[in-house]
Amino acid sequence: IFWAFSPTRDELYPSITRGVDIDSLVRIGIGEGAVGLVAERATNIIIPAEPGGPRFSRHEPRFPVAIAVPLYGQDRMTGVLGLYRKDPRKHFGRADLDMVNFLAEQGSTAIENVLLHEEAQRLSITDGLTGIWNRRYFQMQFRQVLATATRFDRRFSVLMLDLDHFK
């Protein structure tokens, strides 16, 4: 499960899952359970841990074995990667931790690239100051809406306003 930070960075929410129903998961507070502790302390956690060590939150998946590591992007933690095992006899070891950390580094780069691409796309079709759709977005939508209107023989109109001193 990839646990991403909420916009306020006070919670983690399940963003990507495999083998676990995402709808069965809820947000986890920073410092809460294994995943929240990783987000708070920027450290790796393996469960089962030593006596008195970290424990699962009631909101984390109910598996007996887990490993959680922080993911970074642009020198900032972007989330937590949590891997879970159903078989209580198959504990994660040092070699597993090293492999997960290596994969987390690679995954962090890929996630960062996707986020940067999404941000570039958003900025290319909105005004940077107001967040309102710009001319490029209008041109993209115009073609699509006109094609739909033509296809279904519907009326089509365009209203354009020029607001002086809007910003």
Side-chain angles (χ1 to χ4, degrees), residues 18-73:
R18 182 166 181 203
V20 176
D21 180 22
I22 197 166
D23 295 327
S24 69
L25 301 171
V26 297
R27 292 175 179 243
I28 294 177
I30 302 303
E32 180 185 342
V35 170
L37 201 58
V38 169
E40 180 181 65
R41 298 184 183 171
T43 186
N44 303 316
I45 290 181
I46 296 177
I47 293 182
E50 300 293 323
R55 302 265 183 247
F56 287 119
S57 157
R58 61 186 165 95
H59 301 299
E60 289 179 89
R62 299 286 178 214
F63 293 108
V65 180
I67 189 169
V69 299
L71 291 172
Y72 291 93

Side-chain angles (χ1 to χ4, degrees), residues 94-106:
R94 183 69 194 165
D96 296 316
L97 180 61
D98 291 341
M99 179 59 73
V100 171
N101 275 321
F102 172 76
L103 294 173
E105 288 176 20
Q106 302 305 311

Side-chain angles (χ1 to χ4, degrees), residues 64-137:
V65 180
I67 189 169
V69 299
L71 291 172
Y72 291 93
Q74 295 182 342
D75 299 325
R76 182 178 184 186
M77 191 184 307
T78 58
V80 176
L81 178 63
L83 303 174
Y84 304 87
R85 286 185 174 159
K86 294 179 183 180
D87 189 342
R89 297 169 294 170
K90 293 186 178 180
H91 292 239
F92 286 107
R94 183 69 194 165
D96 296 316
L97 180 61
D98 291 341
M99 179 59 73
V100 171
N101 275 321
F102 172 76
L103 294 173
E105 288 176 20
Q106 302 305 311
S108 292
T109 302
I111 290 168
E112 186 175 353
N113 287 340
V114 167
L115 294 175
L116 288 172
H117 179 71
E118 287 176 352
E119 179 69 4
Q121 280 186 313
R122 185 188 66 77
L123 290 173
S124 74
I125 59 174
T126 59
D127 178 81
L129 181 61
T130 63
I132 296 174
W133 305 118
N134 65 15
R135 179 174 171 254
R136 182 169 184 247
Y137 180 79

Side-chain angles (χ1 to χ4, degrees), residues 140-157:
M140 290 168 37
Q141 290 297 83
F142 180 81
R143 289 185 197 110
Q144 183 179 354
V145 171
L146 180 61
T148 301
T150 303
R151 179 177 177 196
F152 294 107
D153 196 27
R154 293 187 180 151
R155 292 183 180 188
F156 179 76
S157 61

